[in-house]
């Protein structure tokens, strides 16, 4: 069992999953900041 | 401390005993937790659900402390999070789609609307189909309720039973959830005036409340990196 | 074939993903706790914020409708006739909005238990106008 080295496949998978998290939370943060900006500009 | 390390000879062994006790404990805990989760998911009957759910959680922790083989904690967390998430969304939207003229639904949805999301307050119950009138909202409800949330609920139950189809379908429905979040938030941003003008807690209220529904984004990395062998049949 | 390579890792987690699963677990616990609390307390919080139990549910419904349609005369029918028209159909003419491709409502923000004050003031006004 290769429990000392992480396989290349697993390494790429891990990077892809982290990239997905960053992209998606980035999208949510962008939308939140856009809405906050709209809140500051409009009389809500 | 896995059951495999206690494997002995044939016949009814200590292992079988251990397996039986573990299965029974898991089943007892799940019965309480699923009932609690479903009540919590109705929102309106949430208070009944809380003690039921906590009772199940304590049975599961007790079983773990006694050394019984229960489901991995993270599987339990994901399964119940998905059930409560799907139930809250489903029941809330089912009220809005079908029960929109009952008193308790009108009060619940319009108070929530006046507080967090004007889409559930503005011209509420004016469409022929009833319920929320924010542009695009009804369409999202019709698309997500019977497709995403029902499927997600079923997949979560299979997942908690450690079934392979549960894990697979949870992957599919969580990716549906990614699409849903993307479109729904974009729709809210475009029609932000309807959604946020003159509500009690504009923008930050909705986000603070709804950010905890990011179940799919937490489940996806786990589902794609877990060893699928632990899910059977 | 053992699913995990060391006894300390949870079932299904390989060493490559142990750190990720640990953080996911923490995030899941936070979300689960929050959803459980939200599931239990949202309805009581909403109801109390808008004046229940001082006002009955039907009163809360009617007061919200009056704010929504900027009209003191609308009432929440209870029970609503099973095959009646949509509730807002009858009230929509008085709603204050700025229309356009991005509509903008013009009703007022309602503060904590402000509906109770509004309701009581209206009753006082009606009693005063009767005498």
């Amino acid at each position: 069992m290769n429990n000392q080295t992480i396989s290349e496949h697993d390494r790429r998978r891990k990077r892809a999953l982290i990239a997905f998290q960053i992209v998606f939370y980035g999208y949510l943060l962008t939308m939140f900041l856009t809405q906050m900006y709209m809140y500051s500009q409009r009389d809500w | 401390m896995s059951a495999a390390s206690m494997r002995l000879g044939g016949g009814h062994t200590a292992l079988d005993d251990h397996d039986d006790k573990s299965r029974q404990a898991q089943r007892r805990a799940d019965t309480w937790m699923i009932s609690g989760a479903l009540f919590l998911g109705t929102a309106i009957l949430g208070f009944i659900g809380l003690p039921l759910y906590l009772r199940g959680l304590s049975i599961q922790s007790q079983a773990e402390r006694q050394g019984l083989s229960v489901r991995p904690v993270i599987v339990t967390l994901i399964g119940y999070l998905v059930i409560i998430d799907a139930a809250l969304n489903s029941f809330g939207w089912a009220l809005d789609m079908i029960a929109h003229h009952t008193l308790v639904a009108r009060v619940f949805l319009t108070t929530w609307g006046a507080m967090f999301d004007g889409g559930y307050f503005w011209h509420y119950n004016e469409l022929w189909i009833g319920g929320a009138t924010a542009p695009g909202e009804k369409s999202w409800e019709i698309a997500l309720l019977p497709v995403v949330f029902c499927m997600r609920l079923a997949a979560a139950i299979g997942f908690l039973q450690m079934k392979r189809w549960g894990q697979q379908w949870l992957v599919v429905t969580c990716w549906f959830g990614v699409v849903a979040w993307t479109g729904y938030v974009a729709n809210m941003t475009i029609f932000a005036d309807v959604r946020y003008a003159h509500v009690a807690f504009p923008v930050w209220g909705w986000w603070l409340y709804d950010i905890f529904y990011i179940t799919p984004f937490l489940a996806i990395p786990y589902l794609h990196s877990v060893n699928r062998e632990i899910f059977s049949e | 074939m053992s699913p995990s390579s060391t006894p300390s890792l949870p079932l299904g987690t390989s060493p490559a993903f142990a750190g990720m699963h640990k953080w996911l677990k923490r995030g899941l616990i936070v979300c689960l706790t929050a959803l459980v609390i939200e599931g239990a307390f949202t309805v009581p919080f909403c109801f109390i914020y808008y004046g229940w139990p001082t006002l009955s549910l039907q009163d809360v419904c009617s007061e919200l409708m009056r704010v929504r349609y900027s009209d003191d005369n609308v009432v929440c029918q209870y029970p609503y006739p099973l095959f009646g028209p949509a509730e807002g159909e009858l009230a929509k003419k008085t709603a204050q909005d700025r229309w356009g491709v991005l509509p903008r409502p013009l009703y007022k923000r309602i503060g904590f238990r402000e509906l109770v004050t509004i309701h009581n003031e209206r009753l006082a006004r009606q009693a005063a106008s009767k005498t």
Side-chain angles (χ1 to χ4, degrees), chain A residues 13 21 24 27 35 42 44, chain B residues 182 193 196 207 217 224:
Chain A
R13 182 183 290 242
Q21 297 280 295
F24 212 81
Y27 170 75
Q35 290 176 4
R42 302 180 192 188
W44 288 347
Chain B
T182 310
D193 283 322
Y196 292 125
W207 280 94
F217 315 129
H224 280 288

Side-chain angles (χ1 to χ4, degrees), chain A residues 1-3 6 10-11 13-14 17-18 21 39 42-44, chain C residues 1-2 4-6 14-17 19-20 24 102 104 109:
Chain A
M1 286 252 110
N2 55 336
N3 50 3
I6 299 170
D10 271 353
R11 200 195 311 271
R13 182 183 290 242
K14 196 165 156 186
L17 292 174
I18 291 172
Q21 297 280 295
Y39 183 25
R42 302 180 192 188
D43 177 29
W44 288 347
Chain C
M1 177 165 76
S2 155
S4 62
S5 44
T6 66
S14 62
F17 296 104
M20 180 187 276
L24 288 175
L102 296 177
R104 164 80 191 263
R109 174 174 283 119

Side-chain angles (χ1 to χ4, degrees), chain B residues 136-169:
Chain B
E137 190 68 11
K138 252 310 168 307
S139 312
W140 277 114
E141 291 179 24
I142 292 169
L144 299 186
L145 177 55
V147 180
V148 179
F149 295 122
C150 288
M151 287 170 74
R152 206 191 273 184
L153 207 50
I157 291 171
F159 183 69
L160 284 170
Q161 292 170 348
M162 301 293 285
K163 297 282 168 72
R164 188 71 65 94
W165 65 262
Q167 189 260 348
Q168 288 167 342
W169 279 96

Side-chain angles (χ1 to χ4, degrees), chain B:
Chain B
M1 193 168 359
S2 76
S5 66
M6 289 167 56
R7 212 161 275 287
L8 304 171
H12 192 81
T13 59
L15 170 65
D16 292 325
D17 226 13
H18 181 271
D19 266 354
D20 282 339
K21 280 209 191 87
S22 302
R23 237 194 312 270
Q24 273 171 20
Q26 188 68 80
R27 186 177 225 109
R28 265 178 63 230
D30 279 339
T31 309
W32 285 95
M33 284 199 280
I34 288 192
S35 326
L38 288 176
F39 272 110
L40 285 164
T42 65
I44 290 176
L45 301 172
F47 255 116
I48 301 173
L50 191 57
L52 298 179
Y53 181 78
L54 293 175
R55 169 113 181 91
L57 207 55
S58 81
I59 292 175
Q60 167 126 359
S61 314
Q62 201 176 36
E64 236 174 320
R65 275 196 300 274
Q66 288 168 357
L68 295 174
S69 308
V70 288
R71 205 168 36 221
V73 173
I74 197 169
V75 171
T76 304
L77 289 173
I78 290 177
Y80 282 103
L81 190 54
V82 171
I83 286 179
I84 293 178
D85 179 314
L88 278 168
N89 278 298
S90 305
F91 289 129
W93 274 356
L95 286 176
D96 193 71
M97 284 204 15
I98 306 166
H100 34 67
H101 280 77
T102 59
L103 184 63
V104 75
R106 279 185 281 176
V107 177
F108 168 43
L109 289 162
T110 53
T111 51
W112 196 84
M115 213 183 290
F116 299 109
D117 179 356
Y120 289 84
F121 186 61
W122 184 68
H123 292 267
Y124 190 75
N125 268 339
E126 214 174 283
L127 291 173
W128 63 272
I129 201 176
T133 51
E137 190 68 11
K138 252 310 168 307
S139 312
W140 277 114
E141 291 179 24
I142 292 169
L144 299 186
L145 177 55
V147 180
V148 179
F149 295 122
C150 288
M151 287 170 74
R152 206 191 273 184
L153 207 50
I157 291 171
F159 183 69
L160 284 170
Q161 292 170 348
M162 301 293 285
K163 297 282 168 72
R164 188 71 65 94
W165 65 262
Q167 189 260 348
Q168 288 167 342
W169 279 96
L170 202 57
V171 172
V172 172
T173 54
C174 283
W175 280 104
F176 279 179
V178 172
V179 172
W181 262 93
T182 310
Y184 191 85
V185 168
N187 190 47
M188 280 191 83
T189 306
I190 292 168
F191 292 103
D193 283 322
V194 168
R195 302 296 208 152
Y196 292 125
H198 310 301
V199 302
F201 310 119
V203 186
W204 62 268
W206 187 90
W207 280 94
L208 193 59
Y209 189 94
D210 279 274
I211 195 63
F212 301 105
Y213 287 81
I214 54 167
T215 321
F217 315 129
L218 293 172
I220 280 170
Y222 179 79
L223 294 168
H224 280 288
S225 59
V226 69
N227 180 359
R228 276 157 235 177
E229 300 295 323
I230 69 172
F231 297 96
S232 61
E233 292 157 74

Side-chain angles (χ1 to χ4, degrees), chain C residues 17-77:
Chain C
F17 296 104
M20 180 187 276
H21 287 189
K22 181 179 79 179
W23 283 101
L24 288 175
K25 195 169 119 178
R26 289 174 184 179
L28 290 164
I29 288 171
V30 168
C31 285
L32 187 56
T33 310
L35 282 195
V36 163
I37 292 171
E38 283 179 2
F41 292 103
T42 300
V43 170
F45 177 63
C46 286
F47 282 16
I48 289 171
Y49 188 97
Y50 287 102
W52 187 81
T54 310
L55 301 177
S56 69
L57 284 186
Q58 196 174 358
D59 279 334
V60 172
C61 182
S62 301
E63 289 301 331
L64 283 174
M65 217 171 152
R66 286 169 192 144
V67 171
R68 207 148 83 229
Y69 290 107
S70 305
D71 176 6
D72 276 356
N73 300 317
V74 294
V75 170
C76 259
Q77 270 182 281

